[in-house]
Amino acid sequence: RPSWRGSEAARMAEGVDQDGEPSVSPRSEHLGEADHVIHDPRDYDDADVADRASAEISKRDPRVASTTETQSSNLRRRIKTVARISQEFSSNVARISSQLERLLHLFFWTDPRLSTLFVSCCLACALVLLVVPPNYVAILCGLYLMRPPQFRDAEDGLATALWSRLPDNSDAF
């Protein structure tokens, strides 16, 4: 961290802003309590200084009890958000690993019919690419992918149905 942060925290602890004038928090300015200085503990880098500042605030301001309740509700909300994000991450990793396991089962010939179909489709694609120039194939693939919604099927295609037939390791147990 830059060294000026420490000096800024020290000036704030003394109740002096950058210009050397007494600093007043916006809350005390709004309430007309300019005779004493209230600092926000989050402004400090040092945890001990922040603890002392919060203790000083709690002595001076009785409204701090309500802020601790607000802080605990904010903490609960943050914990729930972290739990939700970690659960989504875990489910996405599981989904990706399941797809990779299916790909491995395709290459390891776990389902011989699907593996034979895959190899024959790869050979057919190779023969088509030998005859048709690759830029025409790219144009046709682009037109197929950008077709209007009325020409798309609402249900899953044949490839998706065959792909779902492949086992993943959870199915193997």
Side-chain angles (χ1 to χ4, degrees):
R1 293 187 175 235
S3 61
W4 59 270
R5 293 284 273 168
S7 61
E8 181 181 330
R11 278 198 310 271
M12 289 181 72
E14 295 170 4
V16 178
D17 63 2
Q18 291 177 348
D19 301 329
E21 298 179 13
S23 65
V24 179
S25 73
R27 183 172 58 185
S28 63
E29 234 176 54
H30 171 49
L31 297 173
E33 301 172 4
D35 56 325
H36 69 275
V37 178
I38 298 176
H39 299 288
D40 189 2
R42 294 172 293 194
D43 293 338
Y44 300 110
D45 289 337
D46 187 14
D48 295 333
V49 175
D51 289 341
R52 279 187 260 130
S54 63
E56 179 182 333
I57 290 172
S58 63
K59 289 177 188 173
R60 292 182 182 177
D61 195 358
R63 294 168 294 189
V64 170
S66 65
T67 60
T68 56
E69 292 173 4
T70 306
Q71 289 172 352
S72 65
S73 66
N74 285 342
L75 181 63
R76 272 189 238 110
R77 182 179 46 82
R78 288 179 182 176
I79 289 173
K80 285 180 182 178
T81 303
V82 167
R84 181 183 49 82
I85 289 172
S86 64
Q87 185 178 17
E88 287 178 13
F89 178 77
S90 176
S91 65
N92 287 335
V93 167
R95 194 175 310 126
I96 290 170
S97 68
S98 174
Q99 299 301 323
L100 290 175
E101 288 166 0
R102 285 183 175 161
L103 184 66
L104 285 176
H105 283 288
L106 181 67
F107 289 143
F108 290 151
W109 293 80
T110 305
D111 189 348
R113 286 179 287 173
L114 284 181
S115 296
T116 304
L117 182 64
F118 175 72
V119 169
S120 60
C121 285
C122 286
L123 287 174
C125 287
L127 290 175
V128 166
L129 287 175
L130 282 174
V131 176
V132 180
N135 54 355
Y136 290 162
V137 173
I139 289 171
L140 288 175
C141 288
L143 288 175
Y144 177 76
L145 291 174
M146 294 188 298
R147 66 189 185 276
Q150 62 263 24
F151 296 124
R152 296 180 187 170
D153 291 332
E155 65 221 25
D156 291 338
L158 178 65
T160 308
L162 292 175
W163 182 259
S164 63
R165 277 186 51 190
L166 282 170
D168 54 0
N169 285 349
S170 65
D171 294 340
F173 295 119

